[in-house]
Amino acid sequence: MILPKIIHLALLAASAAAHFVVPNDDQNMSGIVVNGIPYSTRVKYMRLANEALFEQSGPCPFAAYGTIIVNHTSDEVVCRGANFRTGDPTIHGEISAINACTAVFQARNMTATQIFAAWADLSIYTNAESCPMCASAIRWSGFKEYIYGTTIQHNYNAGWGVITMSSYDVFQQTRQLPGYQTVMLGQILTNETDPLFSWQYNESYPCPNGCVKEMSKTRGYMACVDPNST
């Protein structure tokens, strides 16, 4: 009698995990004009965030997180970032891009005070919703806008190990921070960002960007690889 109960409880736990809903993670702002910027411009820059990933990590990296920081006043990408496997677990795409921009500003001989003030004029685009660490960094930086594609909920459902706290909930806890209250636009261009995060834990999901399935010696299952790199 004990074994069937254990199996039943295990199945219930698995079912609960499969149907877990990340609180306040449905923040779909697709198609909406914010701060006078057309939605077509949002799409353009989200695609450039994907391109930043591909340029730095190839067409189908396992950690498919790409970020750009944009000055909408001058309509330009100031810097780019992607997840790097340096051994530093904090170098997510957003942190990578912030570090890159800091280096750009320092090269312009900007003072620390000027650099700190510069973030309020910039927008950060990331092709997937930021983890709580990066969402906090975005708020501490005081960005004018934060725009993301794929949600934490999607990546949770796809099998990623994630911290199940939405950016919305992180931002709700930052209202006492000084300076500009960052505008958040969620779920932009998910039809193009979601596939980048959907194959890593699903052998049957198609590879993006012309990549092909190949047995991964390190992971022990079929994974997507760049055919030009093998």
Side-chain angles (χ1 to χ4, degrees):
M1 293 295 292
I2 295 176
L3 183 58
K5 287 183 178 180
I6 292 174
I7 294 172
H8 178 67
L9 289 173
L11 290 173
L12 285 176
S15 176
H19 293 92
F20 176 78
V21 176
V22 178
N24 300 313
D25 201 38
D26 186 5
Q27 302 293 326
N28 193 340
M29 300 284 284
S30 58
I32 297 175
V33 175
V34 177
N35 289 334
I37 298 171
Y39 184 68
S40 59
T41 300
R42 303 295 187 187
V43 167
K44 177 183 78 171
Y45 280 114
M46 188 58 72
R47 285 182 175 145
L48 288 176
N50 283 339
E51 288 297 325
L53 167 72
F54 305 147
E55 289 170 7
Q56 297 178 78
S57 304
C60 51
F62 192 91
Y65 299 87
T67 303
I68 59 173
I69 294 175
V70 173
N71 185 329
H72 276 295
T73 301
S74 57
D75 194 27
E76 64 174 335
V77 176
V78 181
C79 46
R80 299 167 173 81
N83 279 38
F84 291 116
R85 295 186 178 278
T86 63
D88 183 345
T90 68
I91 302 300
H92 292 188
E94 299 91 327
I95 305 301
S96 173
I98 290 171
N99 289 344
C101 266
T102 301
V104 167
F105 296 150
Q106 289 171 336
R108 295 176 182 174
N109 295 318
M110 293 171 63
T111 66
T113 300
Q114 290 171 329
I115 292 172
F116 188 78
W119 307 111
D121 295 322
L122 302 176
S123 301
I124 185 166
Y125 284 73
T126 179
N127 64 357
E129 183 177 2
S130 299
C131 71
M133 176 188 73
C134 293
S136 297
I138 288 167
R139 283 296 296 119
W140 277 114
S141 300
F143 279 98
K144 183 176 183 178
E145 298 176 323
Y146 156 53
I147 305 96
Y148 67 85
T150 296
T151 63
I152 289 173
Q153 181 73 64
H154 173 277
N155 285 350
Y156 175 89
N157 293 345
W160 286 87
V162 295
I163 299 175
T164 54
M165 176 180 286
S166 68
S167 293
Y168 176 87
D169 281 344
V170 173
F171 276 36
Q172 287 295 103
Q173 302 303 317
T174 67
R175 293 186 178 277
Q176 287 188 302
L177 291 183
Y180 196 88
Q181 293 297 315
T182 306
V183 174
M184 182 177 70
L185 290 82
Q187 295 165 255
I188 306 301
L189 201 67
T190 54
N191 61 307
E192 294 185 21
T193 62
D194 283 359
L196 301 178
F197 299 93
S198 298
W199 61 266
Q200 289 85 344
Y201 300 98
N202 184 348
E203 290 183 282
S204 65
Y205 196 90
C207 293
N209 301 322
C211 290
V212 297
K213 294 284 186 179
E214 186 177 285
M215 179 58 67
S216 170
K217 295 179 181 179
T218 57
R219 301 186 184 279
Y221 58 82
M222 299 294 285
C224 296
V225 298
D226 179 2
N228 298 316
S229 66
T230 58

